[in-house]
Amino acid sequence: MEYATPPFFKRGPSLLTRFAFFSLLSITLLVADARFGYLHVLQQAVGVVIYPVQRLATLPGALAGRVGEFFVTHARLERENEQLKRRNLQDAAALQSQQAVAAENQHLRRMLELRERIPRDAIGAEIVYAPRDPFTRRVVVDRGSQHGVKAGQAVVDHIGVVGQVTRVFPWLSEVTLVTDKEQAVPIQVLRSGLRGVTFGIGYDGALELRFMPVNADIQNGDVLVTSGIDGTYPSGLPVAVVTNIERNAAYAFARITCTPAAAVGGFGQVLILSGDDGFPATPSAEEAVGKARKARKGDE
Amino acid sequence: MIRLPPGDGSPPEILRPVSIGYVGLTLLAALLVNLVALPGSLQLLRPDFIALTLIYWVVYHPRRVGFLPAWLLGLAMDVADGSLFGQHALAYAVMMYLAILLHRRIVMFGMRHQVLHVLVILGAAQLVVLLVRVMAGAGFPGPLYFAPSILGALLWPALFSLIRIPLRPRADPDAV
């Protein structure tokens, strides 16, 4: 070019060049993250840098809560105290009978030489915020790898299953809720013992129980609890209640919609359960096939 | 007829010089507002204040902020939102490109027409995010998905005046 820009008008590379550079860089990151799951270290680093801002941003909410607590009326506190006392009495009665049942259960299990259920360690955590991402259902809690949280651990609240830890930062971790599209929970129908798997649909307040035959023994109002066969969720935790069943003979499976038990709003306390409950390691698919083959050869 | 900014025929305001520190401060404040926890689905309607602030600086002081800070803020939003790593970064790159391309034009219009320009820029950024997520296997989350862009564009005049408050010349320079 004969008529290049004079040096004193130079403002770096052209707009299109800069745009192309940064978009290509972003696309590289996207592919690396979506396809290969690299970049863990980079994400952790960014997470550490923005941690102070994240904590600062949660202050207004916490402050509003404090102020609200301060202005609670005396009458309301008294009423609440009354209710709690009554509840405590009921719970104490239930607990006493439960202790007896637990002891009996342990005895029976030992007699049957079943593996004893080991109580899991739990980490209490508080929900800090729900990320602004309309494509997923997640919350961020205030416990991270520094507190012993690991990816894959189950998260529950006082009512039922909340979800599973999917990403861990040093002081925060990300929990994918059971309502997320990519989240599946193995369940058992409390009434009939039928096993199945629930899947998130992608919006709040609904789950889908898939792959149930049209004539499956399932009714509206059935309580679904975790079956515990995945080794992630301990068995017996409430997951959802069946709210709607569509049986259409034209399809192989019934369309079953459920409402999740745990109510996860923006704020609240949850428990993160440690993943280890003494299950034997799951054999990988190849190992299982190899064993089956060997067994067959042995038969011949 | 040549239209004079800001559209009503009055001459443009003469502002005090902008320091890099002030630009950084507004962007940090925008990040903070973006991360404040809102209850429930209100969260999904919140406009992207970082995008709005970046557009402001690019349009009115194009040499104060470049691609790199926008891109880094995009990465920060990706980690905070737990979205795909690089999705906001790409969206902000597209947004910066459009804003720089249009900035000479936008300042020539009045507020009402500026809002439309901003709506297009914000919408394009959200569209990029949507395309990326759909390619990664997500479904369309419904028409409300674009609500943050519309709300963001409507907030443009307010943000415009807010950022300018510290930049206004002192009422009576001789009195100092």
Side-chain angles (χ1 to χ4, degrees):
Chain A
M1 285 286 275
E2 259 175 279
Y3 302 104
T5 345
F8 46 86
F9 284 148
K10 274 236 157 82
R11 289 173 56 177
S14 80
L15 175 61
L16 204 61
T17 318
R18 283 185 290 164
F19 170 60
F21 174 75
F22 281 104
S23 354
L24 281 180
L25 211 56
S26 317
I27 292 170
T28 315
L29 287 184
L30 277 171
V31 172
D33 186 34
R35 278 287 149 89
F36 309 111
Y38 294 158
L39 306 173
H40 219 69
V41 183
L42 197 57
Q43 281 175 351
Q44 296 275 324
V46 177
V48 170
V49 170
I50 62 167
Y51 176 71
V53 187
Q54 277 172 310
R55 281 333 291 256
L56 204 62
T58 59
L59 272 185
L63 214 66
R66 292 270 166 75
V67 172
E69 270 168 37
F70 189 77
F71 288 108
V72 175
T73 59
H74 180 74
R76 213 185 111 191
L77 278 179
E78 229 166 37
R79 209 180 325 128
E80 204 174 282
N81 195 5
E82 194 75 20
Q83 274 174 0
L84 286 175
K85 265 187 194 154
R86 210 176 306 137
R87 189 84 167 273
N88 193 11
L89 214 62
Q90 288 169 355
D91 286 355
L95 191 68
Q96 276 165 20
S97 59
Q98 204 252 345
Q99 272 165 351
V101 171
E104 191 184 53
N105 188 14
Q106 211 161 16
H107 182 67
L108 287 172
R109 271 176 184 272
R110 223 173 280 148
M111 284 206 312
L112 290 165
E113 288 181 58
L114 281 177
R115 210 179 42 75
E116 282 174 59
R117 286 195 204 192
I118 299 164
R120 296 190 183 206
D121 292 333
I123 304 167
E126 197 163 345
I127 296 175
V128 184
Y129 68 92
R132 198 180 61 103
D133 188 25
F135 300 98
T136 53
R137 287 287 163 271
R138 291 178 186 160
V139 290
V140 173
V141 297
D142 65 349
R143 289 284 180 271
S145 55
Q146 292 293 315
H147 307 97
V149 179
K150 291 189 197 76
Q153 291 179 334
V155 180
V156 300
D157 70 358
H158 61 290
I159 313 174
V161 173
V162 171
Q164 201 176 358
V165 177
T166 43
R167 213 180 323 179
V168 182
F169 295 104
W171 300 285
L172 295 172
S173 45
E174 205 176 84
V175 178
T176 302
L177 305 180
V178 285
T179 46
D180 188 271
K181 234 180 170 168
E182 289 175 3
Q183 199 66 356
V185 184
I187 55 93
Q188 196 166 18
V189 180
L190 195 59
R191 183 177 54 81
S192 59
L194 203 65
R195 284 177 197 278
V197 182
T198 60
F199 292 81
I201 303 177
Y203 48 85
D204 287 339
L207 289 174
E208 202 177 17
L209 181 54
R210 279 186 217 164
F211 311 124
M212 278 292 176
V214 174
N215 59 358
D217 177 18
I218 198 157
Q219 297 166 2
N220 271 339
D222 271 352
V223 176
L224 310 178
V225 297
T226 49
S227 61
I229 53 170
D230 58 344
T232 301
Y233 300 105
S235 58
L237 296 172
V239 178
V241 178
V242 176
T243 46
N244 187 29
I245 306 172
E246 271 176 53
R247 295 178 207 267
N248 186 342
Y251 299 106
F253 301 114
R255 255 183 88 101
I256 303 168
T257 322
C258 336
T259 311
V264 182
F267 311 94
Q269 264 93 21
V270 293
L271 273 184
I272 303 171
L273 303 177
S274 84
D276 180 37
D277 65 345
F279 261 94
T282 320
S284 69
E286 284 150 35
E287 245 176 75
V289 169
K291 261 184 204 161
R293 249 182 228 150
K294 246 181 234 164
R296 220 174 298 143
K297 263 183 200 162
D299 286 346
E300 279 165 8
Chain B
M1 195 191 108
I2 298 168
R3 289 186 67 176
L4 284 174
D8 52 6
S10 63
E13 227 178 345
I14 296 170
L15 298 173
R16 289 163 47 184
V18 181
S19 74
I20 283 288
Y22 182 58
V23 177
L25 196 71
T26 53
L27 288 174
L28 191 69
L31 179 63
L32 206 63
V33 176
N34 260 17
L35 292 180
V36 166
L38 291 179
S41 38
L42 223 59
Q43 193 89 355
L44 300 177
L45 298 180
R46 169 182 19 215
D48 190 341
F49 287 94
I50 294 182
L52 273 177
T53 316
L54 282 171
I55 294 176
Y56 174 83
W57 288 121
V58 165
V59 168
Y60 285 99
H61 305 268
R63 305 184 62 173
R64 282 278 160 237
V65 69
F67 271 86
L68 188 65
W71 193 74
L72 290 177
L73 279 168
L75 291 189
M77 277 315 287
D78 284 331
V79 170
D81 275 359
S83 42
L84 274 180
F85 198 57
Q87 135 193 333
H88 280 95
L90 180 63
Y92 287 174
V94 170
M95 187 192 79
M96 291 294 281
Y97 174 71
L98 289 176
I100 296 176
L101 201 68
L102 294 175
H103 80 268
R104 282 179 205 290
R105 197 184 135 109
I106 294 176
V107 290
M108 294 299 290
F109 284 101
M111 249 323 143
R112 244 183 298 165
H113 294 94
Q114 285 189 9
V115 165
L116 291 179
H117 279 92
V118 172
L119 178 65
V120 168
I121 297 176
L122 289 177
Q126 273 210 298
L127 199 65
V128 167
V129 171
L130 180 66
L131 281 180
V132 166
R133 292 311 282 263
V134 167
M135 270 159 79
F140 181 57
L144 261 187
Y145 172 74
F146 286 105
S149 284
I150 296 166
L151 289 175
L154 291 178
L155 279 178
W156 172 254
L159 187 99
F160 173 85
S161 332
L162 194 70
I163 293 186
R164 284 192 165 215
I165 291 173
L167 299 179
R168 292 239 175 82
R170 290 193 193 92
D172 186 6
D174 296 330
V176 179

